[in-house]
Amino acid sequence: MQKKIIKVHPSDNVAVALVNLKIGEIISFENQDITIVSEVKAKHKIALNTFKIDDKIIMYGVLVGKASLIIPTGGVLTTENVKHQSAKVSHKTETIGWTVPNVEKWKDKTFMGYHRQDGQVGTANVWLFFPLVFCENRNIETLKEIFEKELLTQKVNSHQMLLRSLVNNGFDVAIQQEQSTKVFENIDVKFITHPGGCGGIRQDSESLAKLLAGYVKNPNVAGATVLSLGCQNLQIDIFNNALKAISPNNKKPILMYEQQQMGTVDEMLTAIIKNSFEAIREANKIERLPAPLSKLKVGLECGGSDGFSGISANPTLGYTSDMLVALGGTAILSEFPELCGVEQELVNRCVNETSAKRFLELMQAFEKSVVDAGSGFDMNPSPGNIKDGLITDAMKSAGAAKKGGTSPIVDVLDYGEYVTKPGLNLLCTPGNDVESTTAMVGSGANIVLFTTGLGTPTGNPITPVIKVSSNSELAAKMNDIIDVDTGDIINGEKTIEEMAEVMLSYIINVASGTIKSKASLLNQDDFIPWKRGVSL
């Protein structure tokens, strides 16, 4: 029989409802009978004892809020009776050890990847087109239309056929499923546009240069075609310097075009098409070869989280992360607003005082900028989060941090910095799904694991994004976007460790190109740089 409630940590004074609970229902739990005093939807939290005003609410073993009203035993926690509260952070006081998972059976496993001259290994092989400034977006879109029509011949998809039948006054038209025939088998051609590169403060252009340089260095990229207007803030030399800083011996081909130096659009596009085609044809010669799992760099993301995310999907990613770290691989945990309340635990996991100090400095500077803008980290939970049981930022953060497992933190990076150390890295990014995913890929992630409880189609142009559902209801309802379902943890059919084994097997298949992630099948190529400054 499935449990009705679960307590995540022994010291918690609240429990998570695994099913809908009715008023008057009596639940026997930890040697006491708890009478449910209000309707409780699955994923929401109930009080295991009576809370007086300002009593601390503990979940995941950390402070996640305070009672703003009296909450009786068996009562549901809501935004009306709970206010955000997180623990104070002090300097590093102790080192938290971690139990290294048994990865003996995985030590000799490999994936089929694209080996780069700098020693990195890609899970994809992409030729990337992007602009240094938004003024070139139109030319990028024109090139995208030209290259996709000629290099990826697609049958008309079902939705276009539906519209065609409506245009034809409702006459039936045979609907064909979308299929494609690629001219080149070993290379994908992808296109990025963005609203940056000029008009803001100089630091924004420099930050964008670092991000774009990270995309070129990412092992999933074989080479790039870069468009510049000429007069913008993000000059070609700024981009080149950013690339040289993270990849001083870059061997990847980069084709650079500046419109104001080339004359007409026709002349520029003609040169771009001829030269890029030859470069793409050459990059197509690169083939997949076996690589150890230590070459995987996994970004850890969550979006559209629900009350189950922190007890099923996120801990699964955490254990998977620990397994990869034990195998010599790399994991990246970002979304700093969603680490609020667990800072001390993360500080204690840093391998040295320098990293611990930098983490706190980045967190505090980020939070100050949010407060100065008239908001705060406590405003982070979205309406969807709150509706599904995540009612304070600290509660959301404590569950989100589970994606990072328990391994030591080897490095702390600011936005735009590239990962250089195997192990768990912290990367300063916003909590915004696409901004954070964009940043992790720019820091070197060649796979992204993305948990969701409510559903989101987010993907990335160059890196496969594997979508992981926290509950089986979502996996069934939105099966076109969900890759892995961790709902068996909720219903008691699988442990977190067992689910992590499933997860790692799936990662290997996606990394090898055996399986395409749902986001890749949908061509969900999301790219949003983080704009930290104001517009001028």
Side-chain angles (χ1 to χ4, degrees), residues 32 54 65 80 99 107 123 125 156 179-180 204 212 303 315 334 464:
Q32 66 170 323
D54 285 337
E80 285 74 34
T99 302
K107 283 187 175 179
T123 62
N125 194 34
V156 180
Q179 297 179 8
S180 62
D204 273 336
L212 293 172
S334 58

Side-chain angles (χ1 to χ4, degrees), residues 129-146:
F129 287 75
F130 63 85
L132 294 183
V133 62
F134 59 83
C135 306
E136 290 298 320
N137 282 348
R138 173 58 183 161
N139 288 328
I140 291 288
E141 293 289 355
T142 299
L143 290 165
K144 179 179 180 181
E145 183 179 5
I146 292 168

Side-chain angles (χ1 to χ4, degrees), residues 268-343:
M268 182 175 74
L269 293 182
T270 298
I272 291 172
I273 291 168
K274 287 181 178 179
N275 298 337
S276 297
F277 177 77
E278 289 302 320
I280 291 166
R281 183 160 59 181
E282 190 66 25
N284 184 59
K285 296 176 182 178
I286 306 170
E287 296 185 348
R288 291 183 183 268
L289 295 171
L293 300 187
S294 59
K295 294 296 183 179
L296 290 172
K297 297 179 180 179
V298 177
L300 306 167
E301 181 67 29
C302 58
S305 299
D306 71 347
F308 286 163
S309 292
I311 59 178
S312 58
N314 291 347
T316 295
L317 263 59
Y319 199 83
T320 304
S321 166
D322 285 349
M323 292 171 71
L324 284 170
V325 169
L327 290 164
T330 303
I332 306 170
L333 181 64
S334 58
E335 301 178 287
F336 271 28
E338 297 183 8
L339 300 179
C340 174
V342 294
E343 293 99 331

Side-chain angles (χ1 to χ4, degrees), residues 92 350-361 411-412:
K92 185 173 181 178
C350 289
V351 296
N352 55 54
E353 294 286 348
T354 301
S355 292
K357 182 179 178 182
R358 192 174 196 217
F359 168 60
L360 289 181
E361 288 175 347
D411 207 359
V412 177

Side-chain angles (χ1 to χ4, degrees), residues 180-223:
S180 62
T181 303
K182 293 176 65 176
V183 173
F184 297 124
E185 287 301 317
N186 293 324
I187 188 90
D188 288 312
V189 182
K190 292 290 185 176
F191 301 81
I192 284 174
T193 58
H194 59 78
C198 202
I201 58 176
R202 294 297 191 268
Q203 290 90 329
D204 273 336
S205 291
E206 292 167 0
S207 178
L208 179 59
K210 290 180 181 179
L211 178 69
L212 293 172
Y215 270 65
V216 172
K217 183 176 174 65
N218 188 291
N220 292 353
V221 170

Side-chain angles (χ1 to χ4, degrees), residues 171-486:
F171 291 114
D172 288 336
V173 178
I175 294 178
Q176 304 174 65
Q177 293 299 315
E178 182 176 353
Q179 297 179 8
S180 62
T181 303
K182 293 176 65 176
V183 173
F184 297 124
E185 287 301 317
N186 293 324
I187 188 90
D188 288 312
V189 182
K190 292 290 185 176
F191 301 81
I192 284 174
T193 58
H194 59 78
C198 202
I201 58 176
R202 294 297 191 268
Q203 290 90 329
D204 273 336
S205 291
E206 292 167 0
S207 178
L208 179 59
K210 290 180 181 179
L211 178 69
L212 293 172
Y215 270 65
V216 172
K217 183 176 174 65
N218 188 291
N220 292 353
V221 170
T225 298
V226 184
L227 273 61
S228 168
L229 178 60
C231 58
Q232 73 274 359
N233 286 349
L234 179 41
Q235 292 284 296
I236 289 175
D237 62 341
I238 294 176
F239 168 76
N240 285 336
N241 289 337
L243 181 60
K244 186 176 181 180
I246 62 170
S247 189
N249 300 311
N250 175 60
K251 297 293 194 297
K252 293 180 181 179
I254 302 173
L255 308 180
M256 192 80 67
Y257 300 89
E258 188 161 275
Q259 185 171 359
Q260 290 172 347
Q261 296 295 321
M262 297 189 70
T264 68
V265 171
D266 178 67
E267 290 171 328
M268 182 175 74
L269 293 182
T270 298
I272 291 172
I273 291 168
K274 287 181 178 179
N275 298 337
S276 297
F277 177 77
E278 289 302 320
I280 291 166
R281 183 160 59 181
E282 190 66 25
N284 184 59
K285 296 176 182 178
I286 306 170
E287 296 185 348
R288 291 183 183 268
L289 295 171
L293 300 187
S294 59
K295 294 296 183 179
L296 290 172
K297 297 179 180 179
V298 177
L300 306 167
E301 181 67 29
C302 58
S305 299
D306 71 347
F308 286 163
S309 292
I311 59 178
S312 58
N314 291 347
T316 295
L317 263 59
Y319 199 83
T320 304
S321 166
D322 285 349
M323 292 171 71
L324 284 170
V325 169
L327 290 164
T330 303
I332 306 170
L333 181 64
S334 58
E335 301 178 287
F336 271 28
E338 297 183 8
L339 300 179
C340 174
V342 294
E343 293 99 331
Q344 190 63 53
E345 177 189 338
L346 296 173
V347 162
N348 290 342
R349 287 169 58 186
C350 289
V351 296
N352 55 54
E353 294 286 348
T354 301
S355 292
K357 182 179 178 182
R358 192 174 196 217
F359 168 60
L360 289 181
E361 288 175 347
L362 288 171
M363 278 288 287
Q364 289 162 1
F366 192 169
E367 187 168 19
K368 182 179 183 301
S369 70
V370 175
V371 172
D372 289 346
S375 187
F377 281 178
D378 60 313
M379 300 298 291
N380 180 257
S382 70
N385 296 148
I386 294 168
K387 182 181 177 182
D388 266 42
L390 300 176
I391 59 173
T392 73
D393 183 56
M395 186 181 291
K396 180 180 179 182
S397 296
K402 294 297 179 184
K403 302 191 303 292
T406 59
S407 66
I409 294 165
V410 297
D411 207 359
V412 177
L413 308 173
D414 198 2
Y415 180 82
E417 294 181 337
Y418 203 85
V419 168
T420 60
K421 298 178 182 179
L424 179 62
N425 291 253
L426 298 184
L427 174 65
C428 182
T429 77
N432 177 293
D433 305 346
V434 180
E435 286 179 333
S436 177
T437 300
T438 297
M440 287 191 292
V441 173
S443 290
N446 57 9
I447 287 281
V448 172
L449 307 180
F450 192 123
T451 69
T452 182
L454 304 175
T456 172
T458 302
N460 185 266
I462 68 169
T463 291
V465 176
I466 298 172
K467 215 62 60 60
V468 184
S469 70
S470 71
N471 62 90
S472 297
E473 181 182 355
L474 170 65
K477 181 174 65 175
M478 302 181 75
N479 57 60
D480 60 328
I481 67 168
I482 298 299
D483 296 283
V484 178
D485 173 24
T486 64

